[in-house]
Amino acid sequence: AAIGSIACIYPLKVFKLTDERFLNTLDYIDKHCMYDGGFFHDVMHSGFGTYLTAHVAQCYVALRDKKALKILNWLLDKATDTFTWPEAINPQNFGGNMGDGHHGWAAADFLLLVRNMLFYEDEDKLVLLPCVPDDWFKVGEQISVDSAPSYFGTIDFKLKTMRNKVVELKADFNFHRLPEVVEVNLPESIKTLKFRDVDYKVEDGKVLLPKKSFEISK
């Protein structure tokens, strides 16, 4: 039943990511309640909780932890032919065993998970690519987000991997409220981010773009 406590991070964001109560709870859930990437809820659901599994993944996204990708793959594997999920999944036949058979809440949580893996808002910070596969950063590959709504305004960006461990970011941020910083997360293989003819060194797997670098949208 401790699964309800991680709401302190997702979706409420009322605790800091460094809070030991949150981290210890998430660690307990990971060690005792996760099976092959899914959260098994034996208190009431008596099955794999679909939206609860997505909530665990959201916590890992906030931590910039690739464990979220394993959970995403688990959800994709368990989707029905109509790309929906029951509220809880039977652990023996992987059909539904509780709640709606086509659970709207679960589908919405899946979409929010994918969205937040690409970008999300963290108070006055816009976070880009907090948790995406490293394979997306092969030379010549491009990641695109088009006309995406956010708390700051509409977001369009493309990130293309070049040679010599460089990625180029092209963005049209139609902000109605400027974030204080844009955080771009990158794998260890990338050493430089090029944005508007300026080279930024990647440090600790990220680049922090200051407000002045994106105040002019085009």
Side-chain angles (χ1 to χ4, degrees):
I3 188 69
S5 298
I6 65 173
C8 67
I9 294 298
Y10 183 83
L12 300 179
K13 300 180 182 179
V14 293
F15 279 22
K16 294 184 181 298
L17 289 172
T18 54
D19 193 295
E20 289 187 4
R21 293 168 294 178
F22 158 66
L23 292 173
N24 290 341
T25 301
L26 187 63
D27 182 63
Y28 177 88
I29 290 171
D30 181 52
K31 290 179 178 177
H32 298 281
C33 307
M34 301 295 292
Y35 299 95
D36 297 324
F39 170 77
F40 187 80
H41 195 349
D42 59 0
V43 176
M44 182 178 67
H45 290 193
S46 299
F48 291 101
T50 46
Y51 56 83
L52 294 175
T53 295
H55 290 185
V56 175
Q58 291 277 17
C59 291
Y60 286 123
V61 170
L63 291 167
R64 323 295 196 264
D65 191 323
K66 298 291 186 178
K67 287 182 179 179
L69 295 175
K70 181 180 179 181
I71 297 174
L72 176 69
N73 288 331
W74 184 91
L75 286 166
L76 289 169
D77 183 62
K78 301 303 183 292
T80 69
D81 292 341
T82 54
F83 215 80
T84 60
W85 295 262
E87 184 170 2
I89 296 174
N90 188 300
Q92 293 183 318
N93 60 25
F94 294 100
N97 73 330
M98 183 256 189
D100 298 333
H102 299 271
H103 196 62
W105 183 348
D109 265 310
F110 174 79
L111 294 175
L112 287 168
L113 174 59
V114 173
R115 184 261 199 193
N116 287 354
M117 285 179 161
L118 293 168
F119 74 93
Y120 76 95
E121 308 88 342
D122 183 9
E123 296 183 353
D124 290 330
K125 179 193 298 182
L126 175 62
V127 181
L128 304 185
L129 309 176
C131 193
V132 297
D134 288 350
D135 286 349
W136 290 11
F137 293 91
K138 292 179 179 178
V139 174
E141 293 291 333
Q142 179 171 277
I143 302 169
S144 299
V145 171
D146 299 317
S147 303
S150 79
Y151 298 164
F152 300 110
T154 305
I155 294 173
D156 291 86
F157 72 86
K158 292 179 174 63
L159 191 143
K160 186 174 183 178
T161 303
M162 319 296 284
R163 297 186 182 277
N164 301 320
K165 302 180 179 181
V166 176
V167 295
E168 182 179 24
L169 175 65
K170 294 183 179 180
D172 183 9
F173 297 133
N174 188 20
F175 292 138
H176 56 72
R177 178 167 70 89
L178 281 174
E180 291 299 319
V181 65
V182 173
E183 174 188 311
V184 186
N185 291 272
L186 299 163
E188 292 182 1
S189 59
I190 304 300
K191 304 303 179 183
T192 304
L193 172 74
K194 183 181 292 292
F195 179 57
R196 293 180 179 164
D197 298 322
V198 178
D199 290 342
Y200 296 88
K201 182 180 178 181
V202 180
E203 297 182 356
D204 298 323
K206 68 182 68 173
V207 171
L208 300 178
L209 299 173
K211 178 190 284 189
K212 64 180 181 182
S213 70
F214 51 84
E215 285 180 332
I216 300 175
S217 62
K218 294 183 180 180

